[in-house]
Amino acid sequence: MYIPRRDTSSLLNTLAGGRVFPGVHHRASFRVREDGDRYEFEMVSRDGGGSVRVRGARASEWPAGSVFADVGEASEFFRRGSLGYSTSRGSGGYEGLELACERWEVEPLAVEFVRSSFFEDSALFPPGSVEFDCALLMRDVPHRWRGMGRMCCEDAVGVAGAVSRGY
């Protein structure tokens, strides 16, 4: 999977990303609020490159109209997509980073509000071309990030540029 941007609150990850460990990381502020079964998450990048906000509550039912038949199908889709490649520092390749979990446990999150500057960017996605589907909540799962090496290709910069411009 291609990851167009990685954001972190860690200064170390920002400075060392793409040098000591995989992936260029951008500084961002994160706010997470948990109140019983209710959750609110907000990320705002410090360079103005992106923002995300989600508010919702744990749910027992899967949303009607989802492209996934049930939570199990959605969970498996995202479990298989836990490895992502992003553009490396400089040019000529991508660096892989995998979310490695001791166990994979998710549950549905009934979303009341969602905003993403990435998906709201009309230069990337014409109005009406993107529709929110579903959200999964993963809590208290022991995990680590594992570097998966570099993937090189002749036109890495061209491919990344095409993705970032929405082609």
Side-chain angles (χ1 to χ4, degrees):
M1 172 183 310
Y2 176 72
I3 309 297
R5 182 182 171 97
R6 295 184 188 275
D7 289 280
T8 181
S9 61
S10 167
L11 179 59
L12 176 62
N13 287 5
T14 304
L15 296 174
R19 294 179 176 96
V20 178
F21 61 85
V24 175
H25 293 69
H26 304 274
R27 284 294 301 269
S29 297
F30 291 79
R31 186 175 61 85
V32 178
R33 186 169 156 227
E34 298 179 38
D35 185 11
D37 286 348
R38 303 192 53 71
Y39 296 85
E40 189 167 346
F41 167 85
E42 183 174 34
M43 183 282 298
V44 178
S45 66
R46 294 194 178 171
D47 65 4
S51 64
V52 175
R53 185 170 177 213
V54 178
R55 183 177 61 240
R58 287 176 59 197
S60 57
E61 295 184 25
W62 191 244
S66 173
V67 297
F68 302 106
D70 54 34
V71 68
E73 186 177 297
S75 175
E76 183 62 13
F77 175 83
F78 288 103
R79 186 188 66 77
R80 290 177 181 240
S82 63
L83 168 59
Y85 284 85
S86 53
T87 305
S88 62
R89 198 170 292 281
S91 63
Y94 301 96
E95 294 176 313
L97 199 54
E98 180 181 43
L99 173 61
C101 299
E102 288 182 24
R103 64 184 190 282
W104 188 270
E105 295 177 11
V106 300
E107 56 189 300
L109 183 73
V111 173
E112 300 160 1
F113 179 85
V114 62
R115 292 211 68 167
S116 165
S117 61
F118 180 74
F119 290 109
E120 292 174 355
D121 185 344
S122 61
L124 296 174
F125 305 100
S129 65
V130 176
E131 183 178 322
F132 177 78
D133 185 83
C134 63
L136 298 172
L137 180 62
M138 182 179 267
R139 303 177 303 136
D140 303 320
V141 175
H143 69 281
R144 62 187 172 90
W145 291 98
R146 180 170 47 202
M148 299 304 287
R150 189 172 167 85
M151 177 174 60
C152 298
C153 55
E154 236 176 84
D155 193 24
V157 174
V159 172
V163 171
S164 69
R165 289 190 300 272
Y167 299 122

